[in-house]
Amino acid sequence: MKPTTFFKRALALLAGSVLFGAGPVKLLNVSYDPTRELYQDINAAFAKQWKAKTGVDVEISQSHGGSSKQARSVIDGLQADVVTLGLAYDIDSIAEHAHLLPANWQTRLPNNSTPYTSTIVFLVRHGNPKHIKDWDDLVRPGVSVIAPNPKSSGGARWAYLAAWGYALKKNNGDDKKAQEFVTRLYKNVPVLDSGARGSTTTFAQRGIGDVLLDWENEAFLALDELGKDKVEVVTPSLSILAEPPVSVVDRVAAKHGTTQVAKAYLEFLYTAEGQEIGARHYYRPRSPEVAAKYASRFAKVQLFTIDEVFGGWQKAQKRHFDDGGVFDQIYLR
Amino acid sequence: MATVALELPRKRTSAIPRSIRRDPPLVRWGLTLLALLALGVFIVLPLVAVFVQAFAKGLPVYLAAIREPDTLSAIRLSLLAAGVSVPLNLVFGVAAAWTIAKFQFKGKSLLVTLIDIPFAVSPVVSGLIFVLIFGAQGWFGSWLIDHDIRIVFAVPGIILATTFVTFPFVARELIPLMQSQGSDEEEAALTLGATGWQMFFKITLPNIKWGLLYGVVLCTARALGEFGAVSVVSGHIRGQTNTLPLHVEILYNEYNYSGAFAVASLLSVIAVITLTLKKFLEWKTKEGASK
């Protein structure tokens, strides 16, 4: 055996024994920060269903972190069979920089490849001592707002855009006034954490801030974990329809021979069972039947989409979050 | 009793000026108390807090957290990373220290500086170096993908990063020790007809054994505890590429505080064992040197 072959085999064995050992089919789902609990349940349910259908065991591994950071890892070679990230732009950048999936990935599954949606709500301290009811209350002097950094966190970008959209609507589409409003809002933000979960712990565990701008599902999870005697969820009058999309990473899945099971895994999210699991974890279901069944879980709130107000993620990203964009200008000032 | 106690130190410390020993008791006790307080608040209290939190929900919860499959896999991975990187650094460290302490050559100080690089750069940068070299977009990225070899976001990357950050420990420990011992004994052995390996195993190794063990203990402790560099190359796949310190962070972020502190307590136990071994080996090294 040539030394290089030996080296290769030894490495392959080492990596293989960990990643692709004999036995069940293995899938890696690279996801964003708040979905840990959701996918624990989804994985178990899907594995059961797949076993019943095909007789094959499937083992799904999870990796979690800030949405953009996770996308970066996949670009750098993290072997994700599927990605389930916080916003479409992050999957776009995997397509753009690493060509691991086609640029039109978002058209391959129903509802913009978004099996569940969420929105941005406020988490406040018990009794709501600062009387925070709507976006206008966040820009009052003396209100301390906790939000993650829109540069690295998907949820933070949705939150920023939600505030911007609210201000636009309130000022009859005046872009300048919207920027003023968002600038005042971020003046009230003392710490920018890098991810949604980090911000939640800052607010809940370290007790910093009067209000946390957060994913709806993350806010309700915090409510369950911390107790109703500690925090309350406040839903604003208007917010954004946050669409965290999913996709098979074609080239990785093809190499692993997992394309079929990866597709089935994502399609499972759209089934009644998948939708119910999502709803139980406070993700808003797409299916009208499941939505009706869990209607009492979700406050009625007027939602606008990113396409309506900002013309899609590519445009929003370029204008607001790229280096030197509007966010840089308002946060530096 | 008091007079006896005063008598003894006067004899032993007569070289020290009286004024130093005559600080008002308030100052002496005050300073001692302050030092103890600082020690307690910054070191003992956090350590105690870790164990209190770990056992807050009782022993069964603690044991369940440790027996959890993802935790066991993190323990295995940490042990594997340390198990590979420590022997590598042991061999490298002895070779480097031997070269540097016993020979004169050009570029010696450059070599010493190079050995120290992992101490000088931030661990996060160390991790990024490996992503830049072995990542899919990196120098060897496409070659590695073509040959289906995975380094970053897999076990080899974690071992590489761990080896890199723990690189200097053994060498740094041995260089001053070997320099102070000189090469007289080795030269004598060679004159008497010993082969190179005989000389190494019968003379050099026994001379440095306690110092070597000390270096290995420090190296192991760091290998098990490394966070920054490993975090960058890990990919954070649960049950596969999470080491113990990374697993603590994950558990903490999942509101699993008792689990996080249970795993953290394992790391704390390792730290206490390390310190005890360190103290013992320091004593042995000194004893060896004074013989």
Side-chain angles (χ1 to χ4, degrees):
Chain A
M1 202 188 286
K2 280 191 303 179
T4 48
T5 349
F6 174 75
F7 180 64
K8 250 170 71 180
R9 285 203 187 153
L11 270 181
L13 199 73
L14 198 60
S17 63
V18 180
L19 284 176
F20 304 105
V25 182
K26 304 206 172 182
L27 274 188
L28 173 59
N29 174 4
V30 172
S31 195
Y32 62 115
D33 230 3
T35 54
R36 303 155 192 257
E37 295 78 10
L38 167 71
Y39 279 109
Q40 270 171 24
D41 288 358
I42 290 277
N43 293 351
F46 173 72
K48 209 170 139 198
Q49 195 225 42
W50 188 251
K51 171 89 176 165
K53 210 163 149 189
T54 64
V56 179
D57 283 308
V58 57
E59 236 177 73
I60 301 142
S61 304
Q62 287 296 131
S63 166
H64 295 277
S67 185
S68 303
K69 193 190 117 214
Q70 294 291 79
R72 183 72 237 178
S73 293
V74 174
I75 292 169
D76 282 331
L78 182 57
Q79 296 287 303
D81 300 282
V82 300
V83 283
T84 53
L85 294 179
L87 48 92
Y89 185 80
D90 288 330
I91 305 185
D92 279 346
S93 52
I94 298 175
E96 187 188 334
H97 295 292
H99 310 290
L100 296 174
L101 66 170
N104 70 345
W105 62 270
Q106 206 169 3
T107 61
R108 297 190 296 184
L109 283 168
N111 305 106
N112 283 333
S113 292
T114 315
Y116 42 78
T117 66
S118 191
T119 186
I120 298 298
V121 299
F122 311 153
L123 193 68
V124 299
R125 309 248 170 240
H126 177 64
N128 198 357
K130 297 257 170 151
H131 309 292
I132 291 154
K133 294 275 172 236
D134 210 345
W135 291 99
D136 293 306
D137 299 314
L138 303 187
V139 300
R140 283 199 323 245
V143 171
S144 166
V145 183
I146 301 295
N149 189 345
K151 291 266 182 178
S152 56
S153 154
R157 268 177 268 179
W158 288 115
Y160 169 103
L161 294 174
W164 192 287
Y166 170 83
L168 266 185
K169 178 136 194 263
K170 195 182 147 204
N171 296 300
N172 303 315
D174 188 334
D175 213 48
K176 247 198 170 133
K177 285 207 169 126
Q179 181 162 343
E180 261 174 49
F181 181 86
V182 176
T183 307
R184 274 168 66 203
L185 171 63
Y186 278 88
K187 275 217 174 89
N188 281 348
V189 178
V191 212
L192 286 174
D193 280 290
S194 70
R197 200 44 76 84
S199 275
T200 313
T201 29
T202 296
F203 180 79
Q205 285 302 115
R206 293 167 57 202
I208 297 175
D210 302 311
V211 52
L212 172 71
L213 272 184
D214 211 346
W215 292 100
E216 184 182 49
N217 52 281
E218 183 76 354
F220 276 107
L221 177 71
L223 187 70
D224 282 353
E225 291 289 339
L226 302 164
K228 292 191 165 67
D229 54 337
K230 294 259 172 62
V231 288
E232 287 174 20
V233 175
V234 173
T235 312
S237 64
L238 176 75
S239 196
I240 195 161
L241 178 75
E243 297 182 302
V246 301
S247 178
V248 173
V249 185
D250 299 39
R251 276 177 57 190
V252 178
K255 204 170 74 189
H256 295 169
T258 51
T259 308
Q260 202 196 350
V261 58
K263 268 189 187 155
Y265 177 62
L266 295 185
E267 278 156 10
F268 176 74
L269 296 168
Y270 289 89
T271 63
E273 192 184 357
Q275 292 279 295
E276 286 218 13
I277 295 172
R280 280 203 294 276
H281 286 278
Y282 303 100
Y283 291 84
R284 292 180 177 234
R286 289 287 198 182
S287 139
E289 294 82 39
V290 179
K293 188 173 165 192
Y294 286 87
S296 60
R297 290 208 133 192
F298 302 101
K300 284 220 166 43
V301 47
Q302 200 191 338
L303 298 171
F304 60 85
T305 69
I306 183 165
D307 292 346
E308 281 163 28
V309 178
F310 300 93
W313 261 113
Q314 289 287 345
K315 275 192 182 163
Q317 174 76 24
K318 271 204 188 75
R319 176 162 177 225
H320 292 279
F321 307 118
D322 274 359
D323 281 339
V326 179
F327 177 73
D328 277 347
Q329 293 167 31
I330 65 175
Y331 201 66
L332 288 176
R333 237 188 276 155
Chain B
M1 281 305 283
T3 46
V4 178
L6 276 174
E7 282 289 319
L8 281 172
R10 199 175 292 162
K11 272 183 198 159
R12 277 196 201 146
T13 56
S14 53
I16 300 171
R18 295 176 77 86
S19 59
I20 290 181
R21 286 180 288 126
R22 288 289 166 89
D23 270 339
L26 196 69
V27 174
R28 274 187 288 158
W29 287 108
L31 284 175
T32 313
L33 206 69
L34 206 69
L36 284 177
L37 205 71
L39 193 76
V41 169
F42 292 115
I43 310 230
V44 180
L45 204 65
L47 202 62
V48 171
V50 167
F51 285 95
V52 168
Q53 281 280 353
F55 289 102
K57 290 190 182 165
L59 191 65
V61 175
Y62 179 87
L63 289 177
I66 301 232
R67 282 204 204 109
E68 211 252 330
D70 285 350
T71 307
L72 289 177
S73 126
I75 294 173
R76 268 198 301 275
L77 181 58
S78 278
L79 289 178
L80 175 68
V84 176
S85 63
V86 172
L88 280 179
N89 284 332
L90 174 97
V91 172
F92 161 77
V94 172
W98 167 266
T99 316
I100 287 162
K102 311 270 175 178
F103 298 95
Q104 290 301 328
F105 55 92
K106 265 191 193 160
K108 186 160 137 175
S109 57
L110 183 72
L111 183 63
V112 177
T113 315
L114 281 178
I115 291 173
D116 275 346
I117 281 186
F119 275 168
V121 296
S122 153
V124 175
V125 177
S126 317
L128 278 177
I129 293 170
F130 289 110
V131 174
L132 284 179
I133 299 175
F134 300 116
Q137 312 297 314
W139 295 350
F140 304 121
S142 49
W143 187 87
L144 289 169
I145 290 171
D146 289 347
H147 293 76
D148 207 18
I149 300 172
R150 245 159 257 121
I151 298 201
V152 286
F153 310 122
V155 176
I158 289 169
I159 293 175
L160 267 178
T162 309
T163 310
F164 182 82
V165 292
T166 54
F167 204 58
F169 281 96
V170 175
R172 268 280 136 217
E173 190 52 42
L174 288 185
I175 291 168
L177 182 67
M178 286 172 108
Q179 269 172 340
S180 74
Q181 286 172 351
S183 38
D184 297 351
E185 291 184 33
E186 276 91 350
E187 278 164 17
L190 288 178
T191 319
L192 292 171
T195 65
W197 287 116
Q198 275 178 332
M199 175 203 70
F200 178 75
F201 283 111
K202 298 218 160 130
I203 307 292
T204 313
L205 204 57
N207 274 342
I208 59 167
K209 62 181 176 201
W210 296 117
L212 185 64
L213 264 177
Y214 182 55
V216 166
V217 166
L218 288 184
C219 190
T220 311
R222 179 66 191 269
L224 291 174
E226 174 57 25
F227 181 85
V230 169
S231 171
V232 177
V233 298
S234 142
H236 305 276
I237 308 170
R238 305 185 63 130
Q240 289 174 14
T241 62
N242 274 324
T243 60
L244 273 179
L246 299 181
H247 195 55
V248 173
E249 191 201 27
I250 286 187
L251 290 173
Y252 183 78
N253 276 340
E254 288 177 0
Y255 301 98
N256 187 351
Y257 302 117
S258 48
F261 282 102
V263 179
S265 76
L266 287 183
L267 285 168
S268 308
V269 168
I270 293 171
V272 171
I273 294 174
T274 310
L275 280 178
T276 317
L277 272 175
K278 178 174 169 272
K279 217 58 227 161
F280 171 73
L281 291 170
E282 264 173 2
W283 170 67
K284 275 288 183 190
T285 317
K286 263 190 211 134
E287 199 185 49
S290 64
K291 248 186 225 164

